Amino acid sequence: MRVGRAGPPHRRAQRSVADVVGEGERLAGITLRELRDKPATELRSVGPKLATRLEAMGLTSVLDLLEHYPRRYHDRTKVQDIAELAIGEEATVTGEVKKVSVRRPRNRRPMVEMEVFDGTSYLRLTFFNQEYRAKIAEGTEISVFGKVDLYRGRRQMVNPAIDVLGNPGEATTGVLLPVYPQSGKAGVYTWELRKIAAEMLQRVRVRGFADPVDEDVLRARGLVDRTTAYADIHRPATTGEADAAKSRLTFDEFLRMQVGLVARKRALERDRSGIEHEIDGPLVSAFHAALPFPLTTDQERAIAEITADLAAPAPMHRLLQGEVGSGKTVVALTALLTAVQGGHQGAFMAPTEVLAEQHDLTMRALLAGLNVPTQGSLLGERPVGVALLTNRTPAAERRRIADGLRSGDIDILVGTHALIYEGVEFARLGVAVIDEQHRFGVEQRDLLRGKGHEPDVLVMTATPIPRTAAMLIYGDLDRSELRSLPAGRSTITTEVVGSLPMERSPVYERLRAEVDAGRQAYVVCPLVEGSEKLEAKAATEEYARLAAEELAGLRLGLLHGQLPSKEKEAMMTRFRAHEIDVLVATTVVEVGVDVPNATVMVVEDADRFGLLQLHQLRGRIGRGAHRSWCFLLADPATNDAKARLQAMVDSSDGFELAERDLEIRGEGAVFGERQSGWSDLKLGRLPRDEPIVVEARAVAESILDADPDLERHPQLREEVEDLLGDAVEFLFKS
Ligand code: ADP
Ligand code: MG
């Protein structure tokens, strides 16, 4: 069967387009929503059995299939003849599978062996630990990429990457052959997906796609129209066509997101129903006067920006971005106290219990001696009321908090996501601060907002996010930035050290010397993805080992997520009070923990951590006046891991590291899974597509300038609604 662009039309009686898309709409171009509403089974090439298999891959509608894009294009001109392969080289070949066999040597891993023939010669493929490869039928055409080596006098590839190209017995033709993400588990193969794509394109040919973007905009940016784009991404004649199609469809993905974000931002700005806070009250001035340090210029600027928002009738929706240790807490407290001095309440939500506890302590310390004026009390004022609410708050305390929130005796409630639970009701929530936002999603942000009547919202993050990524994640927020650290911070020396005992011993020597000099240290234990329990176990063992060996005689403490909160709290208090020299911990110390006397950070198995996580950990030291050391213990096995560790040595600038991280890891680094609704990208990738994001932002703004409710862009509006779901309802007037 020919699948190429110029393939013959289907011979069998064609159902008319109207069967698929409905009579009345025959002439207008097809919209994505129409295809979203068509089950995949309406396609002739999708029978009930295949439909079940497709469903297992999450493909249920015609739109799902249309947007199931080829993973790559197999270029026949780039293929080598097996007869010409040189030993030691990496190469791509295609051929027919002639023989498949499985061997299960005793006490060894099972092996699948395959013979591939391409007309010039045979190549042997050997797969270890990939028994499913044996399912590939003899006679199947596959493409193979791997390194050629010699085994018992014959050329072979071990564990090469392979793609199944054709149905057994059917040879494929065409220069560029789309290879789809297939699923061995679901049993869906690329040739089936190619057939489906061919049918879809055939059936939409008459009507074509309606284009949500005006022609002049497309022309100005050199973008192809949508009909061409969908045809060419599935069946390009040249790589140029495939690239142009990809650019257009990537642009659409970012455009939808940006229209949603810009519209959300503008809707918030138009809103006049927020609280006009009293900004020149006595509480804030007293708070600033009592600080043991002058504010940095950045802090002053951020406070001015926030204060202007608080005074205005539009509810604030602002992101405060600042390096670890840049002093965001003081800025946040200023916002909270502005609410309090006008008779409102503040909420402060942190991502973990340890952090919530720490913030609670910090706030109490900073607020000591500050009073709120009251009507009821004899003296006409009372101390600022702060309470802490986490999952572990006992029932009696919860009830007390509930009462205090209702009566208004609690001015500031600090806590974890327990804050957004039902039953937590504020009398007059005026300002909500969300710390370390990237761990919370937009929904949680909205839930906290919902605890008051249009409170002002300040979102804080220490994750330095590259500009374009921020445009995606926080595109609906205004931004303030703390770029410079408060003066008097010390330098941190970062070293990567091998994990052998001999290599580590200088690390422990340095640590001991620092403790002798009156400083403190952290030892962070290996990350065990997805298991707090195993992490806790590792930390406990390391604690015991260090106490018996290298760090014998020092005062060690143990901190991990499995400890009851009382114990965690007690441990942090003792470490802060310097009753403990070395804190052996899991990543619970990752964010926010603030002990300026700590000058040494040892990270075990540092190659298991992400770059920004390492940066956060390093942020725990160098917070005081003393020179500090960060030791990353690792024997990195992969290039990515090496690159991450080198980046840590090279730079201490969070923004720079974020850019590096994005390069190393791709956009996964900045989109937590929680952000999925806002980052449903099938083609778009950062930082590669940064220029497209910037263009999409500009187009989104100009469209919304001219047509704020998208009345003249109904289709674009539909697509934004379908992308963002309910979250988008309030954006446009209907
Ligand atoms: P962040 O939350 O941004 O990581 P913090 O608010 O915890 O940083 O501040 C880090 C440390 O710096 C705290 O000990 C804080 O008291 C101190 N600090 C904050 N602002 C200043 C300032 N202007 N000058 C000196 N130290 C400051
Ligand atoms: Mg902080």
Side-chain angles (χ1 to χ4, degrees):
M1 188 189 89
R2 182 175 164 96
V3 195
R5 186 180 173 70
H10 288 278
R11 289 269 169 72
R12 274 177 284 175
Q14 280 177 35
R15 281 209 280 165
S16 80
V17 170
D19 293 343
V20 182
V21 297
E23 275 305 325
E25 300 149 315
R26 187 195 294 261
L27 293 175
I30 294 168
T31 67
L32 300 190
R33 185 175 281 181
E34 281 175 65
L35 297 183
R36 181 200 69 171
D37 294 338
K38 303 277 172 216
T41 44
E42 290 202 9
L43 296 168
R44 197 181 36 235
S45 52
V46 180
K49 277 205 193 119
L50 180 55
T52 315
R53 286 183 280 138
L54 290 171
E55 203 178 326
M57 293 173 74
L59 307 172
T60 57
S61 71
V62 175
L63 180 61
D64 292 339
L65 290 166
L66 187 71
E67 290 184 341
H68 191 66
Y69 303 121
R71 191 160 58 72
R72 65 181 190 89
Y73 302 92
H74 180 70
D75 186 345
R76 284 176 196 283
T77 60
K78 301 256 167 72
V79 167
Q80 278 171 271
D81 287 346
I82 293 177
E84 279 159 23
L85 294 181
I87 309 296
E89 240 175 50
E90 288 197 324
T92 303
V93 301
T94 61
E96 191 187 322
V97 176
K98 288 294 189 191
K99 193 161 156 260
V100 184
S101 58
V102 190
R103 283 210 290 146
R104 292 175 214 282
R106 213 187 261 262
N107 301 328
R108 295 236 321 270
R109 299 172 292 170
M111 287 161 63
V112 175
E113 288 175 334
M114 242 178 238
E115 293 291 339
V116 177
F117 180 67
D118 74 346
T120 68
S121 185
Y122 279 87
L123 177 67
R124 183 157 89 158
L125 311 182
T126 306
F127 301 92
F128 292 102
N129 284 337
Q130 301 180 27
E131 274 188 272
Y132 59 92
R133 296 288 190 206
K135 281 197 279 186
I136 293 179
E138 289 171 11
T140 305
E141 188 187 8
I142 62 173
S143 104
V144 184
F145 172 79
K147 193 167 154 196
V148 186
D149 61 37
L150 203 60
Y151 180 73
R152 295 192 175 161
R154 280 200 52 201
R155 281 167 309 171
Q156 73 159 4
M157 289 186 186
V158 175
N159 288 349
I162 68 171
D163 275 321
V164 172
L165 295 181
N167 204 359
E170 281 180 61
T172 55
T173 52
V175 170
L176 280 186
L177 195 63
V179 176
Y180 286 90
Q182 36 189 4
S183 164
K185 206 163 127 232
V188 174
Y189 297 102
T190 200
W191 71 83
E192 294 174 297
L193 293 160
R194 269 203 305 267
K195 248 188 204 160
I196 293 170
E199 186 195 343
M200 283 190 295
L201 296 183
Q202 174 66 28
R203 290 173 71 173
V204 300
R205 224 186 41 187
V206 179
R207 274 176 69 190
F209 283 93
D211 206 313
V213 183
D214 295 341
E215 235 182 277
D216 50 338
V217 174
L218 294 179
R219 211 173 311 117
R221 298 181 193 259
L223 294 169
V224 298
D225 65 78
R226 184 174 268 187
T227 306
T228 308
Y230 279 118
D232 286 356
I233 197 154
H234 286 290
R235 291 201 290 178
T238 63
T239 46
E241 278 184 10
D243 290 345
K246 235 188 215 166
S247 299
R248 168 60 208 271
L249 296 172
T250 305
F251 175 82
D252 282 3
E253 288 184 353
F254 287 122
L255 180 67
R256 290 193 272 270
M257 287 171 74
Q258 289 305 325
V259 167
L261 290 164
V262 173
R264 184 178 158 103
K265 185 161 186 290
R266 293 189 177 179
L268 292 164
E269 283 162 6
R270 274 200 303 272
D271 190 348
R272 323 298 302 162
S273 61
I275 304 160
E276 295 179 43
H277 290 275
E278 205 178 292
I279 56 173
D280 293 319
L283 194 54
V284 170
S285 356
F287 170 57
H288 287 169
L291 285 176
F293 43 71
L295 295 173
T296 64
T297 335
D298 281 2
Q299 283 171 322
E300 276 176 355
R301 184 171 17 82
I303 287 174
E305 286 162 354
I306 289 166
T307 306
D309 286 356
L310 292 178
M316 172 167 77
H317 235 69
R318 184 173 287 277
L319 175 69
L320 174 62
Q321 204 175 2
E323 268 284 12
V324 186
S326 59
K328 293 186 292 296
T329 314
V330 170
V331 177
L333 259 180
T334 304
L336 293 169
L337 291 175
T338 307
V340 172
Q341 76 188 359
H344 289 94
Q345 291 162 306
F348 189 112
M349 182 159 77
T352 66
E353 222 159 286
V354 167
L355 270 182
E357 282 154 12
Q358 155 125 0
H359 279 303
D360 176 59
L361 285 175
T362 314
M363 286 190 192
R364 284 171 199 277
L366 286 169
L367 297 177
L370 290 185
N371 289 316
V372 211
T374 59
Q375 325 260 273
S377 102
L378 209 54
L379 296 169
E381 48 178 38
R382 59 168 174 79
V384 178
V386 179
L388 172 70
L389 179 68
T390 70
N391 274 348
R392 314 215 189 180
T393 307
E397 173 70 0
R398 264 168 211 272
R399 274 193 298 277
R400 199 192 64 76
I401 290 174
D403 290 346
L405 286 176
R406 252 194 312 273
S407 68
D409 285 344
I410 293 177
D411 299 298
I412 297 176
L413 181 63
V414 185
T416 54
H417 54 274
L419 258 56
I420 57 182
Y421 290 170
E422 258 174 72
V424 179
E425 281 164 38
F426 294 81
R428 309 218 292 154
L429 180 61
V431 170
V433 177
I434 303 172
D435 195 13
E436 307 297 345
Q437 149 79 10
H438 64 291
R439 305 218 180 173
F440 296 111
V442 175
E443 311 84 52
Q444 276 126 321
R445 207 205 288 167
D446 286 342
L447 279 173
L448 187 58
R449 260 179 80 225
K451 294 282 175 187
H453 178 72
E454 299 291 341
D456 289 284
V457 176
L458 181 67
V459 167
M460 305 205 293
T461 180
T463 309
I465 306 157
R467 197 176 62 99
T468 36
M471 242 185 226
L472 292 185
I473 303 177
Y474 299 119
D476 56 339
L477 304 180
D478 292 307
R479 285 217 288 163
S480 295
E481 232 175 63
L482 302 181
R483 281 214 81 143
S484 57
L485 299 185
R489 290 297 160 80
S490 61
T491 51
I492 304 178
T493 308
T494 301
E495 285 176 29
V496 179
V497 181
S499 67
L500 292 176
M502 203 178 65
E503 297 169 291
R504 320 168 150 247
S505 75
V507 171
Y508 296 118
E509 262 165 48
R510 164 60 59 192
L511 192 156
R512 279 182 166 278
E514 284 295 297
V515 169
D516 285 346
R519 306 281 85 79
Q520 289 163 279
Y522 299 96
V523 174
V524 175
C525 298
L527 182 72
V528 184
E529 208 72 65
S531 175
E532 240 187 31
K533 244 202 194 114
L534 287 180
E535 266 183 14
K537 184 164 169 278
T540 310
E541 286 169 6
E542 181 67 3
Y543 167 79
R545 190 185 73 82
L546 288 173
E549 296 172 22
E550 284 98 335
L551 302 182
L554 303 188
R555 297 172 301 172
L556 301 192
L558 174 66
L559 185 71
H560 59 69
Q562 300 272 291
L563 293 172
S565 22
K566 273 263 166 344
E567 282 179 41
K568 274 193 282 189
E569 208 173 315
M571 185 52 69
M572 278 316 297
T573 309
R574 291 178 62 201
F575 188 60
R576 256 182 231 114
H578 201 172
E579 287 165 22
I580 285 177
D581 301 311
V582 183
L583 192 62
V584 181
T586 59
T587 48
V588 292
V589 297
E590 183 188 339
V591 274
V593 172
D594 184 22
V595 178
N597 191 47
T599 57
V600 178
M601 165 67 62
V602 179
V603 184
E604 290 284 345
D605 285 355
D607 51 334
R608 291 206 201 168
F609 293 83
L611 183 49
L612 292 181
Q613 217 171 0
L614 289 174
H615 179 62
Q616 297 279 14
L617 286 171
R618 185 171 57 183
R620 301 306 104 218
I621 55 170
R623 297 172 81 85
H626 308 284
R627 176 164 178 209
S628 298
W629 283 266
C630 174
F631 297 106
L632 304 173
L633 300 188
D635 309 298
T638 67
N639 287 338
D640 276 11
K642 279 179 203 149
R644 283 200 300 274
L645 297 171
Q646 191 54 43
M648 284 292 292
V649 173
D650 292 344
S651 173
S652 58
D653 180 292
F655 283 86
E656 207 176 300
L657 288 172
E659 301 278 358
R660 286 286 292 277
D661 192 40
L662 207 48
E663 280 163 28
I664 298 170
R665 281 217 292 162
E667 83 290 0
V670 288
F671 297 124
E673 61 211 58
R674 299 244 169 83
Q675 299 286 353
S676 57
W678 294 81
S679 63
D680 193 12
L681 300 175
K682 301 215 162 58
L683 292 169
R685 291 284 176 274
L686 290 176
R688 188 193 67 196
D689 296 326
E690 278 193 16
I692 305 183
V693 176
V694 175
E695 295 235 310
R697 178 84 176 186
V699 171
E701 283 175 348
S702 75
I703 289 176
L704 288 165
D705 283 345
D707 184 15
D709 293 314
L710 297 183
E711 274 157 6
R712 278 173 286 119
H713 294 80
Q715 205 192 327
L716 184 58
R717 179 175 160 160
E718 236 174 56
E719 287 174 22
V720 174
E721 284 169 0
D722 288 348
L723 172 71
L724 301 179
D726 297 342
V728 88
E729 260 168 33
F730 73 101
L731 296 186
F732 314 111
K733 285 187 295 203
S734 318

